Amino acid sequence: MTRAGARPSRGEGPFDALSLPLVVLVLLFAFGIGMSPTCYTAHAYHSGEGEESSAAMADIPDDLEVEVKVGVLGLKPKGEQSVIGKKCDKVLYEQVALRIALDHIESENGTIIDLSSVIPARVRTDPKYVGDSTREVVANVTRWARSNIEACAMHEVLFDIETTSAVMFHAEDTVPNTVDMILGPRDAANHQCRLLREVASLGRLPMVTWGCTNVELGMAVGETANTTTISMLPENAENLEAHALLDFLHDHSWDQGHVAVLYTEGNTESTELVRRLNMIKSCGNQPHDVTVHAFGLPKESRDGPLNLNATSRVLNMIKEGDHNILVSALDFMDLPPVLYEAYQLGMVGEDNIWIYANDFTPGQLEVASKAPLGLLLEGMIEVDPSDSQRRLGELMHGSFSMGWTPGGASYTTSSNPWNRFKKMWSEQTPDQYPDLGLPEDFFKYAPLSANAAMVYDSAWIGLVSYLHRIINSDSLVHDHGHDDHQGEIVGTDKIHLHEDSVHVTGNSSNGPASSHMHVCATSESIPGALSFDGVTGPVLIDRYTKARAPVAKLISAVNLQWRQETSELSPYTYGSWPYIWDEGWRNLCSMPAFSLWETLSDMRALKYGSSETPPKHRSIYTSVEDMEEQNADNQKHMSIIIGVLVGTLALLAVVTIFLFYRYRTVHKKVIRNEKVAKDFQFEWETNAGRALTTLNSMIETMNEGGDHTSRNKASFENKLSEIRMYLLAQDARVDMNEVQDSIQRVGEKRYTPEVTAYLMEHALNAGLRTSEENCVYRRSNSFEKRIDKTSMRSVLEKSLGGSITSEESIETGKAAAEESVAEKIKRRLSTSTDTLNVISPVVDKVLVEQVKEKLIATLNMAANGDRNFDVFELAELTGDRPLSTLSLFLLHRRGVCSALRLDQNKLIAYVVEVENNMFDHPYHNRRHVADVVAGIYAFTVPGGCLYDFVQASPLTMLAVVFAATVHDLQHPGVSNAYLCKTLHPLAVKHSDKSVNESHHLSCAFDLMAQDNFNFVQGSIDVEDFLTFRSLVIEMVLATDMKSHFSILDKFKRFQKAREADPESLDIQSEMNNVFAIAIKVADLIHCSRPLKVHHQWVDCITTEFFNQGDLERAKNMQLSPGMDRNQPSGPLQQVGFTEIFALPLYKAWREYATTCGSQGGKKESQFYDGVNENYSYWLHASKTPATEKAAV
């Protein structure tokens, strides 16, 4: 089910609502009142504990009746629904199960579960139902937590009661705006689960949920122990679901190929399932080699129907991929249009297998059996008249459904709570629940969805977790309502819990009757190791994670078959997973290599699509078995080819010997005339030879005698002119050849500091001229506008001159000490100073001017946000100074330096020093950083998403360019995971949290703290600098790929909240979301560049990955995915990266730009189209056979 919600409006968010409780906590801490360090561990059993447990109940007053207010999240009865909507609504089953549970608790009915031995008094419940919208859930939990913590603070401060160990009884409800415990939520996204858990813990409210796993709640082992929340879902439920699905595929030999997964976009559960499937594939002990292709289906709105046009495009893509194994994580109400569209494309029936990664209720199966497609799809898509009376169940024939076992997991006898629950269920009637409007046949079948059983067990667990404080309390305090009395303390040190069972000490005393009980829960007061036989199966709450411990047969699968004779879609049991459970299987990669599915031996023949036997998986992608067969055929063909090649080589050898003999014969004849040939070449191919030929002609004319007429004299003069011309041309030719040869030998070394400073000076001043024309910031009259070449050259000389070694100075002696810095640099850049001096000044000036013009044109491309910007060309034009040149150019062009009165010499020195500290890794180098600077700057120009944020704030503009400039400062060329696994000093220093990103920030601000580089000193006040620093930190930390999905999910939620209520957002919240996603887009900007540039970057990152893989191999570590140079992933890795990371990121960025950009997202759409173009290339390359690629 899709987990998405709108952002709370201003004033109703969790942090605003909890401001008062936080103040109270601070006051309590100031008075020295804190939580008790004592940690109690409760273990209560469903059966009696012997004589000692019976004695425990004797000390509780017989007439004690406790009123408990229960906040129920997500189960508020809905308004009017259609008949089909009622039948398909899973929530109805949970609402009925909860009411049965509360009724049994109040009436002390132990027919299904008997926990009377651990509930010390009669209970009267008062449920407070809340709807399922995120806004309503968060707002109510926040209000309850605030009221409860105020009440707890009042008891401690005013009455001096130690609330961590005492239980308060009130004659009247003194805290009407709170509840005593929370049940739910039934379904929530990852961030919502963690938020609700933290709010409940802060508000000291116990909470039991069946819709959030312990990982989603942030209660995994090692994360946190401070919680008042219990999860009814098994510990590490995400891993169990993924392993069960892979084992199911393995049992049918479908885990060695390609599988398509359909899910609703924004559904974090489905995204997590895909991620876990790919993670399990990398486990070394697993036999699975499945490749998962995820296909997200967008919705028209958060709670609206699917976008049918987009759904059609996605299904056509799956059809083109020729997938026949399809896993669906869609809700039941989204299935009709998807299945009908797939049916029309020939993707239903035959050898196509659909596996539904969720369970179905009896009502949903009835709708699939009875409701015609014409009715289900009315107003959605056009149904062919011949299909209008067809049932959805016919399209689901031969498919499989997997989900949590509805109840009775791991039980081996028929006498168990699940069977008793089913009997109790069948005895209910719809008229007992008039406000729910249940269908007439609602109780005809037991719930096939596990949520109903989980709700029943959750109610009992919640009461035990709450009421066991009476047993575990050091004192019972009864408030008689007197203002001058702090309360009567009853039974001090009367009852407490030992580790494994309930014990009683002390004497009994009479307690108050019909009182409202108030408990201030803490992490220590929520019982761990709580165990009883529940409806879902044996329940054991882990004392550390506060989640249900896994047991056998937690997951079930059914085969859905259409019975033509009765026109009914019936579920037939396939089996359960795992058939046995071992406590050593808790981690992702600790599951055994064999399948854990237990199938029924006497079950009816299964249906696989239209067949009774499992079909072979297929897709256009080559499977492992096909590759083995193809390799065998290739080996045969290779043997034949090798034989032909050997014969051909033998024939060529004979021909070569013959030709060599002929060549030797001819060569001897040529050598005899070698001198003649050289003279002929000199005479006729050089200007000097032509001059000598003319001179010989003159001599012959003179020797002809006699008649020296004026005509002969003119002829002699003309020929002498020709001789002089030929000789001068020959000299010029030799000189130009020397110049060209000098330029080639010098190469990139001709970029001396003087040349580089000259180029940077003209580039920056060109930016200043553009800034004067278009600047939006008000300039300071005292700021020096023009950049002086002297200052640029000085910084570059210091930067390079500082690296001259002491050994060089010792070798050169006194002369070296007197040598200028410029001469030292020139000497270091070339082995011979002659090679620099030989260049003609005229020629060099012409070349430098040409480079300058091309450099300014390239910088203007970046300044205009052109997608075709090529950073590799910029590096060549600047002598490998792309970062400092581009960053300074953009800041001066925008007028930031003038508006903030920055110290330009220190700014130049800082940026050059940052560039010097960039290591020359294949990917994480100064060229990548310059490309990121150009990428994020593209969104600040008019028409970009960031333009409205920076147009009136030069400080924000500075933070954007600065964050991009330093975001990879001193990058070590390896991932955070590698640094953590090898206990690198950086990982130790930064506690394994965003190691690289924290190091980049530390280096950047350490460098700025030095006086020579503090370009903001005296220009920006402390408050503005803290704002600047905060934004830079947020942006750089956002580049950690580990937080990619959480940041993207947060951004999507922000978009939906903005669409729902634009007035509810504050500018700081919007900036945090938008700037974090902006730098993430810029960090992957190469994905949108022209294919030639993008391909060059892919080669760079691949080389860097292989380098890390070599390091891991040298340390005998498990190689990270995609980093083994012996098994390169090729184009398929780029397809997966683009599908999972790049495309969703750019799509979300484009959607935000479309609604919020000043030009409707025109520029962001260009970059998104670039990603799509490159994705099409990689997708085509991944499908191209290796032989065809070699031919290309």
Side-chain angles (χ1 to χ4, degrees), residues 326-368:
L326 302 100
V327 178
S328 167
L330 303 175
D331 292 340
F332 178 82
M333 292 304 292
D334 292 331
L335 282 179
V338 174
L339 281 179
Y340 184 68
E341 183 77 23
Y343 167 72
Q344 291 184 313
L345 293 173
M347 297 166 55
V348 172
E350 301 298 332
D351 61 344
N352 298 287
I353 305 300
W354 286 73
I355 304 170
Y356 304 105
N358 45 31
D359 48 26
F360 300 121
T361 65
Q364 291 171 340
L365 295 180
E366 182 183 355
V367 169

Side-chain angles (χ1 to χ4, degrees), residues 502-768:
V502 180
H503 293 273
V504 183
T505 60
N507 299 321
S508 64
S509 61
N510 295 326
S514 300
S515 295
H516 175 262
M517 174 181 168
H518 183 231
V519 171
C520 297
T522 65
S523 178
E524 292 82 0
S525 67
I526 300 300
L530 177 64
S531 173
F532 68 92
D533 286 340
V535 173
T536 55
V539 177
L540 171 62
I541 303 301
D542 188 277
R543 69 183 64 197
Y544 300 109
T545 63
K546 299 295 196 305
R548 180 183 180 182
V551 296
K553 302 180 180 180
L554 267 175
I555 296 176
S556 300
V558 296
N559 181 219
L560 300 175
Q561 299 183 19
W562 177 257
R563 299 178 61 185
Q564 192 66 40
E565 61 276 11
T566 59
S567 297
E568 183 180 18
L569 182 66
S570 301
Y572 292 91
T573 301
Y574 169 81
S576 55
W577 184 99
Y579 66 85
I580 191 174
W581 177 255
D582 188 289
E583 288 301 314
W585 296 344
R586 288 177 178 262
N587 296 326
L588 180 71
C589 291
S590 62
M591 299 295 290
F594 55 86
S595 175
L596 295 175
W597 276 100
E598 179 183 61
T599 57
L600 300 181
S601 58
D602 59 344
M603 61 184 176
R604 172 179 170 151
L606 299 176
K607 299 294 183 182
Y608 296 89
S610 303
S611 174
E612 294 186 358
T613 58
K616 184 178 180 181
H617 66 79
R618 58 173 167 77
S619 69
I620 63 172
Y621 307 101
T622 306
S623 66
V624 176
E625 296 175 356
D626 294 337
M627 289 178 63
E628 292 177 353
E629 295 177 2
Q630 186 177 358
N631 290 337
D633 294 338
N634 290 340
Q635 289 178 358
K636 294 179 182 179
H637 297 157
M638 189 61 66
S639 301
I640 298 174
I641 294 174
I642 291 174
V644 174
L645 287 176
V646 170
T648 304
L649 289 175
L651 179 62
L652 287 175
V654 174
V655 174
T656 302
I657 294 173
F658 173 76
L659 292 176
F660 180 72
Y661 172 76
R662 293 289 299 164
Y663 166 76
R664 292 291 296 172
T665 304
V666 174
H667 186 63
K668 290 179 181 179
K669 295 180 181 179
V670 173
I671 288 191
R672 295 194 200 108
N673 299 318
E674 183 177 1
K675 185 175 181 304
V676 178
K678 288 183 179 180
D679 292 342
F680 178 82
Q681 180 182 8
F682 176 77
E683 182 175 354
W684 293 102
E685 294 186 3
T686 66
N687 289 310
R690 294 178 184 177
L692 290 176
T693 301
T694 305
L695 183 61
N696 287 335
S697 176
M698 289 178 62
I699 294 173
E700 290 175 359
T701 303
M702 293 174 65
N703 290 335
E704 290 178 357
D707 187 10
H708 296 283
T709 64
S710 59
R711 181 177 59 81
N712 289 337
K713 182 177 180 181
S715 177
F716 291 153
E717 291 177 353
N718 290 335
K719 291 187 177 182
L720 285 173
S721 298
E722 291 180 6
I723 291 173
R724 285 194 295 270
M725 180 184 68
Y726 289 143
L727 293 177
L728 287 173
Q730 181 70 16
D731 291 340
R733 176 182 174 186
V734 172
D735 183 61
M736 288 303 297
N737 285 338
E738 290 180 356
V739 172
Q740 292 177 0
D741 184 62
S742 300
I743 294 175
Q744 292 175 356
R745 282 185 283 117
V746 174
E748 63 181 8
K749 296 176 183 178
R750 61 200 309 275
Y751 280 96
T752 63
E754 182 177 6
V755 173
T756 303
Y758 174 80
L759 292 173
M760 292 179 69
E761 171 211 0
H762 281 270
L764 297 185
N765 286 323
L768 280 176

